[in-house]
């Protein structure tokens, strides 16, 4: 009934009639009270039992054998504002999911049949003994999550994208799996810059040095994991900072984008978004896929991150149906650049049907999400089942990669 948010839940139903049709539903609320729900249609077997690990859904929000389908298909309920994500703002409290079994097959968004059973599941983002330390260390802000025990532990810096602020749930899960994880905001948090205008790599260098020197962190180097803009910053960190020896880049660009990046005398200008190339659907959803300047254009070569200078190792993770931008192409460009310089220090995980934001397992799929900066719904792409499978597969591979290169 209670477990880690990245672990599978085993769901069984007993005591039904042989072949009885039922609808299974999940209902959860975020910290602000916004309701999320999902449903799926099942039939009991000859013994009147159901096991979501082996029995297929015949309809509802997904079909097929999907042990965690009710979790990853959670979406804002009909009366809520659409395009919201179900991700925790604090890691100290679980997301509570109410699971219920209803008579008959009821379609998503309709009133379900009578309840015949229900149970509550708690999805925790931190394990007992994990310590969370809020940081104000020189210029560095964020939260450091330390696993239980004496350590030392492999150290990882964790960054998200252009939504800004402090996002901690991946860091706390990494700490649960034995990493000293520093959740690092880089704008729109406390006294950091309010918007993405320009960045100094020295801020990220200070964070890497702090983590590497920490008595609970084993050296000699640290890793970094980033999504979107965070992935691109991870590429710059492993390129220019000797402290960083492993980089996991999820849906990133191989060039610097939007905000100029300074390091000492050097500046990497940012590729720009051309808002004239953004298309808007009849439903008012923004598609930014074509909007970023083309990194292959020779005029944009000053924006390219010279990743061939990196001594460490890269893990590139992309969804082939990312509609936020062309992350598959950007991964190809990065790999081409490394190979051109005789380097094979990379792995690529490329997932057909997955969208932009590939999070830890069972994070609900969100094809369109409100963009915090633009204040409009933006298409992230992907198909729910393929995206959910990409999240589950990549999470194991990310931990293997970090353990391999950080010890």
């Amino acid at each position: 009934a209670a477990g880690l948010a990245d672990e599978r839940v085993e769901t069984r139903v007993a005591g039904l009639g042989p072949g009885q049709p039922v609808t299974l539903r999940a209902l959860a609320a975020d910290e602000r009270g916004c309701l999320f729900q999902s449903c799926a249609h099942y039939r009991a077997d000859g013994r009147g039992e159901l096991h979501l690990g082996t029995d297929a859904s015949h309809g509802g929000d997904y079909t097929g054998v999907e042990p965690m389908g009710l979790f990853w298909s959670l979406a804002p309920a009909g009366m809520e504002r659409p395009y919201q994500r179900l991700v925790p703002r604090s890691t100290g409290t679980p997301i509570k999911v109410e699971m219920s079994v209803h008579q008959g097959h009821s379609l998503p968004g309709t009133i379900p049949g009578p309840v015949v059973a229900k149970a509550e599941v708690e999805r925790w983002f931190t394990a007992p003994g994990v310590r969370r330390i809020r940081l104000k260390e020189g210029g560095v802000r964020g939260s450091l999550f330390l696993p239980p025990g004496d350590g030392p532990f492999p150290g990882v810096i964790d960054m998200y994208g252009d939504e800004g602020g402090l996002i901690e749930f991946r860091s706390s899960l990494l700490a649960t799996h034995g990493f000293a994880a520093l959740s690092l905001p880089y704008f729109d948090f406390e006294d950091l810059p309010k918007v993405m205008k320009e960045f100094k790599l020295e801020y990220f260098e200070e964070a890497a040095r702090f983590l590497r020197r920490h008595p609970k962190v084993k050296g000699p180097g640290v890793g970094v994991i980033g999504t979107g803009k965070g992935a691109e910053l991870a590429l710059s960190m492993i390129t220019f900072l000797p402290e960083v020896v492993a980089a996991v880049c999820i849906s990133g660009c191989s060039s610097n984008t939007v905000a100029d990046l300074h390091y000492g005398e050097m500046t990497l200008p940012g590729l720009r978004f051309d808002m004239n190339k953004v298309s808007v659907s009849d439903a008012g959803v923004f598609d930014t896929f074509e909007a970023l300047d083309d990194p292959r254009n020779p005029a944009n070569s000053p924006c390219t991150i010279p990743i061939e200078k990196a001594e460490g190792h890269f893990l590139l993770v992309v969804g082939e149906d990312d509609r936020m931008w062309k992350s598959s192409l950007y991964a190809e460009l990065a790999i081409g650049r490394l190979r051109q310089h005789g380097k094979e220090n990379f792995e690529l995980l490329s997932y057909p049907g997955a969208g932009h934001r590939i999070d830890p397992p069972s994070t609900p799929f969100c094809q369109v999400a409100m963009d915090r900066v633009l204040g409009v719904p933006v298409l992230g792409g992907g198909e729910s089942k393929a995206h959910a499978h990409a999240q589950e597969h990549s999470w194991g591979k990310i931990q293997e990669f970090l353990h391999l290169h950080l010890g």
Side-chain angles (χ1 to χ4, degrees):
L4 288 171
D6 60 349
E7 288 179 353
R8 279 191 173 188
V9 174
E10 189 155 308
T11 308
R12 294 176 184 270
V13 185
L16 299 169
Q20 183 180 342
V22 288
T23 299
L24 266 66
R25 293 168 63 86
L27 184 69
D30 68 9
E31 282 101 331
R32 294 163 305 181
C34 172
L35 287 178
F36 293 77
Q37 62 185 21
S38 61
C39 77
H41 301 161
Y42 289 91
R43 278 188 190 278
D45 64 14
R47 296 189 307 277
E49 295 181 1
L50 257 184
H51 181 208
L52 268 57
T54 53
D55 293 328
S57 161
H58 305 293
D61 290 318
Y62 62 90
T63 56
V65 178
E66 293 294 335
M68 295 300 292
L70 286 167
F71 293 86
W72 54 248
S73 61
L74 282 163
M79 73 288 258
E80 300 290 357
R81 286 203 328 269
Y83 314 134
Q84 299 188 73
R85 289 186 190 282
L86 178 58
V87 286
R89 288 164 187 272
S90 70
T91 55
T93 51
I95 288 180
K96 293 179 178 177
V97 184
E98 185 182 275
M99 314 282 281
S100 52
V101 183
H102 300 259
Q103 287 179 22
H105 287 163
S106 48
L107 293 171
T110 61
I111 295 171
V115 177
V116 290
K118 63 179 176 181
E120 190 176 75
V121 181
E122 291 185 351
R123 306 286 284 159
W124 285 88
F125 290 86
T126 184
V130 169
R131 288 169 55 208
R132 173 182 179 266
I133 301 155
R134 279 299 303 277
L135 277 196
K136 268 197 168 178
E137 193 69 34
V140 177
R141 302 291 174 262
S143 299
L144 177 63
F145 290 86
L146 294 173
D150 295 333
F153 308 103
V156 181
I157 292 170
D158 177 21
M159 299 179 295
Y160 269 91
D162 61 5
E163 61 267 61
L166 178 64
I167 301 175
E168 299 177 310
F169 72 99
R170 185 165 61 191
S171 304
S172 64
L173 286 172
L174 284 168
T176 296
H177 292 289
F179 296 92
L182 168 56
S183 184
L184 186 69
Y186 48 93
F187 77 103
D188 197 25
F189 181 72
E190 293 184 349
D191 54 358
L192 296 174
K194 267 279 164 262
V195 293
M196 284 204 302
K197 197 168 173 194
E198 54 181 358
F199 292 122
K200 289 186 164 59
L201 198 61
E202 283 83 357
Y203 172 77
F204 303 91
E205 181 174 53
E206 193 182 343
R209 287 179 175 171
F210 161 80
L211 190 61
R212 196 185 69 170
R213 283 198 307 263
H214 195 281
K216 291 270 190 185
V217 173
K218 68 160 109 166
V222 297
V224 59
I225 177 172
T227 298
K229 178 68 186 177
E232 178 195 307
L233 287 163
L235 290 178
S236 293
M237 289 170 73
I238 193 172
T239 296
F240 296 109
L241 308 179
E243 295 85 359
V244 178
V245 299
V248 178
C249 305
I250 302 170
S251 308
C253 183
S254 47
S255 293
N256 186 52
T257 67
V258 183
D260 294 354
L261 181 68
H262 306 284
Y263 186 45
E265 299 294 297
M266 180 210 75
T267 296
L268 284 181
L271 289 178
R272 302 295 178 207
F273 276 97
D274 180 351
M275 293 312 281
N276 294 321
K277 291 184 180 168
V278 175
S279 62
V280 185
S281 75
D282 294 343
V285 174
F286 283 58
D287 184 341
T288 59
F289 188 67
E290 296 289 348
L292 188 67
D293 289 346
D294 188 348
R296 295 168 297 184
N297 181 337
N300 293 324
S301 61
C303 305
T304 306
I305 303 165
I307 55 173
E308 68 278 1
K309 294 181 176 176
E311 294 298 322
H313 289 81
F314 300 89
L315 178 61
L316 306 171
V317 183
V318 296
E320 293 174 19
D321 193 31
D322 184 349
R323 294 294 304 178
M324 194 76 75
W325 60 12
K326 301 176 182 180
S327 51
S328 286
L329 168 68
Y330 306 149
E332 272 175 42
L333 294 176
I335 288 169
R337 191 173 179 96
L338 291 170
R339 285 200 165 133
Q340 204 182 329
H341 290 83
K343 297 211 157 186
E344 291 290 333
N345 55 340
F346 63 86
E347 285 175 65
L348 171 67
L349 298 176
S350 185
Y351 296 102
H356 180 71
R357 194 164 141 163
I358 298 172
D359 273 326
S362 304
T363 301
F365 172 67
C366 193
Q367 190 182 49
V368 176
M370 288 304 288
D371 186 282
R372 212 193 50 78
V373 181
L374 299 174
V376 296
V378 174
L379 184 61
E383 179 276 316
S384 58
K385 191 186 291 194
H387 192 89
H389 292 181
Q391 291 191 147
E392 188 158 352
H393 183 265
S394 61
W395 186 235
K397 291 291 187 190
I398 286 166
Q399 292 173 63
E400 279 173 29
F401 171 84
L402 291 170
H403 277 302
L404 177 65
H405 296 294
L406 301 176

